[in-house]
Amino acid sequence: MKIAIASDHAGFNYKEEISKYIKSKGHQVLDFGTYSEDSVDYPDFAFPAAEAVASLVADYGVLICGTGIGMSIVSNKVTGIRAALCTSTYMADMARKHNNANIICFGARTTTIEEIKKMLDVFLSEDFLGDRHMIRVEKIHNLTGN
Ligand code: RB5
């Protein structure tokens, strides 16, 4: 699969480590920056990565900032994006099975890299269950006409 990845300065080191991990699993990584620990603004990196997922250039997105909160707020503004900020494998599992999330967000200052790798294993392998969850996801998109 093609995975869009982005971070701000707070998530930069994690982004590098996560990119290597995703590649080691046989996926292609599309890196939308940032490319150093110099201070930047997370919307500038979350938005283009989310657009790549929404336009189907990438299958999924992985976004990292200090808490994951900014990345999730920004990416959920893009039509067609369902971004989930996850802190456990249970949340990563539910994000795919129940919410059909297409972006997962992490906090580099809140979550260990080992926990994130476990969450990625789940997120990149589980499928949406559809059925009653499909009705709910459709209701989300009907709220704003997308
Ligand atoms: C940067 O200091 C921090 O605010 C950012 O990485 C993120 O946590 C925002 O949600």
Side-chain angles (χ1 to χ4, degrees):
M1 290 191 290
K2 284 185 187 168
I3 313 297
I5 193 165
S7 75
D8 68 355
H9 54 288
F12 169 70
N13 288 322
Y14 269 41
K15 175 172 72 68
E16 299 304 289
E17 181 76 21
I18 291 167
S19 292
K20 278 187 225 158
Y21 185 69
I22 291 171
K23 286 177 191 166
S24 79
K25 297 290 176 181
H27 304 297
Q28 187 181 339
V29 169
L30 309 178
D31 190 339
F32 287 83
T34 188
Y35 303 109
S36 77
E37 291 183 276
D38 294 345
S39 183
V40 292
D41 302 326
Y42 56 82
D44 297 338
F45 301 90
F47 196 76
E51 284 189 314
V53 176
S55 64
L56 306 181
V57 169
D59 297 286
Y60 291 114
V62 178
L63 305 179
I64 313 110
C65 63
T67 58
I69 295 170
M71 288 304 203
S72 60
I73 291 171
V74 173
S75 53
N76 275 312
K77 289 199 174 290
V78 176
T79 299
I81 290 303
R82 293 171 302 280
L85 169 56
C86 292
T87 56
S88 69
T89 52
Y90 178 71
M91 290 174 77
D93 193 37
M94 290 299 104
R96 286 294 308 127
K97 287 178 176 167
H98 285 195
N99 309 111
N100 201 16
N102 47 16
I103 289 182
I104 190 165
C105 302
F106 298 122
R109 293 172 178 162
T110 61
T111 312
T112 68
I113 197 77
E114 288 312 316
E115 285 171 326
I116 287 176
K117 286 176 182 174
K118 285 181 201 159
M119 286 190 263
L120 280 173
D121 288 344
V122 171
F123 189 80
L124 297 178
S125 63
E126 294 299 337
D127 290 323
F128 182 46
L129 293 178
D131 193 38
R132 66 185 186 280
H133 305 293
M134 178 68 86
I135 293 167
R136 294 160 186 169
V137 167
E138 281 174 355
K139 284 192 176 187
I140 295 170
H141 289 283
N142 289 340
L143 291 172
T144 50
N146 61 17

